[in-house]
Amino acid sequence: MGDLNANNPLKVSGPSFSGFVKRNFDGYWSAKLNYTIGSISAADSNSTDPQFRQRNLSFTTSLFEVSAIVEFNFLDYIPEVGKNRFTPYLFAGFAVLNYYPTTVYQGVKYSLRGMSTEGEKKPYSTTAFSIPYGIGVKYNIFGDFTLGAEIGYRNPNTDYLDDVSGVYPVKSSLPSGIAQALSDRSGEKTGIYIGSPGTQRGDGNPRDTYFFTQVTIAFTFITQKCYFH
């Protein structure tokens, strides 16, 4: 959710892939180190809102996230040797995110950071921090293998995942003609541009959010010292 998707908290707009290692302390608690690559995108031209369609902005952002997660199982869950073959669970943690918004203009892909499309005096940081949190369910399919499904939201400390945040700038202050064109794309089809300096370009919210919905498979290594590690 962000300045190009203000109303649908479950909109899926791109793929993601993850890898993780996890330590099970007992049948209820575990800690996980997770690395996820994902992509989000949106285009005003696909909106049902006529004001969004008139604004005509679009973006695709690559996400690279490292997170440390704590999981809590509602049921005592130990693959193969435990009495419960499945359990719902909650998780929360801390994440560091690198993100890189781009857009396509006249068939050419441009990196939006550094274009100062809203008159930023210096490029915004492409690193953000967030608190991942969510719910899931896991099932012991056979042996030491666990199949899981989860959804987890992130609320990073940035409003630039989509390169849209505030107001339209004075176009003459932007660093290039391409930056001017990417700042206000409302007149590309009609020739009528709505981006008057100081008028609203974003939705006014201070942060963008994103979520990952994932299906996971895990193998648990059993040790002689402690059977649930």
Side-chain angles (χ1 to χ4, degrees):
M1 291 192 68
D3 302 85
L4 275 73
N5 172 37
N7 301 311
N8 185 357
L10 294 175
K11 180 180 179 182
V12 176
S13 64
S16 67
F17 303 92
S18 292
F20 64 87
V21 291
K22 180 165 59 175
R23 170 70 179 227
N24 299 310
F25 299 108
D26 55 30
Y28 293 97
W29 293 97
S30 62
K32 178 171 69 173
L33 184 65
N34 195 71
Y35 179 67
T36 304
I37 299 173
S39 176
I40 54 175
S41 63
D44 281 342
S45 58
N46 297 326
S47 175
T48 58
D49 188 317
Q51 290 183 321
F52 280 8
R53 291 199 303 271
Q54 186 180 27
R55 185 178 59 175
N56 196 40
L57 296 175
S58 63
F59 79 97
T60 297
T61 296
S62 298
L63 307 173
F64 302 89
E65 182 193 271
V66 177
S67 59
I69 301 291
V70 174
E71 287 184 3
F72 172 72
N73 299 326
F74 285 95
L75 304 176
D76 187 3
Y77 178 80
I78 303 169
E80 189 174 25
V81 298
K83 63 180 180 179
N84 297 305
R85 295 201 64 181
F86 79 97
T87 181
Y89 63 93
L90 299 175
F91 66 88
F94 178 79
V96 179
L97 170 71
N98 285 329
Y99 64 98
Y100 301 94
T102 64
T103 194
V104 175
Y105 174 66
Q106 295 184 346
V108 179
K109 183 179 181 180
Y110 292 94
S111 174
L112 289 167
R113 181 180 183 270
M115 288 288 182
S116 298
T117 54
E118 294 184 345
E120 308 98 301
K121 293 183 179 180
K122 62 179 182 179
Y124 50 80
S125 175
T126 55
T127 299
F129 304 95
S130 66
I131 304 297
Y133 60 93
I135 60 174
V137 62
K138 59 185 69 170
Y139 179 76
N140 183 204
I141 48 179
F142 62 87
D144 298 324
F145 286 91
T146 294
L147 182 69
E150 67 179 42
I151 181 169
Y153 265 86
R154 276 77 168 163
N155 189 17
N157 63 333
T158 180
D159 194 28
Y160 284 102
L161 294 186
D162 48 20
D163 190 63
V164 184
S165 179
V167 298
Y168 287 98
V170 176
K171 286 187 178 181
S172 60
S173 68
L174 300 186
S176 67
I178 290 296
Q180 295 177 16
L182 296 180
S183 175
D184 181 8
R185 303 187 63 176
S186 57
E188 289 181 7
K189 295 181 179 180
T190 64
I192 301 173
Y193 288 86
I194 63 171
S196 301
T199 60
Q200 184 175 342
R201 188 171 186 261
D203 63 6
N205 291 323
R207 296 187 178 192
D208 296 328
T209 64
Y210 64 98
F211 71 90
F212 291 128
T213 300
Q214 298 185 316
V215 174
T216 65
I217 188 165
F219 178 83
T220 301
F221 294 91
I222 306 296
T223 68
Q224 292 181 352
K225 179 180 179 181
C226 191
Y227 65 86
F228 51 76
H229 284 183

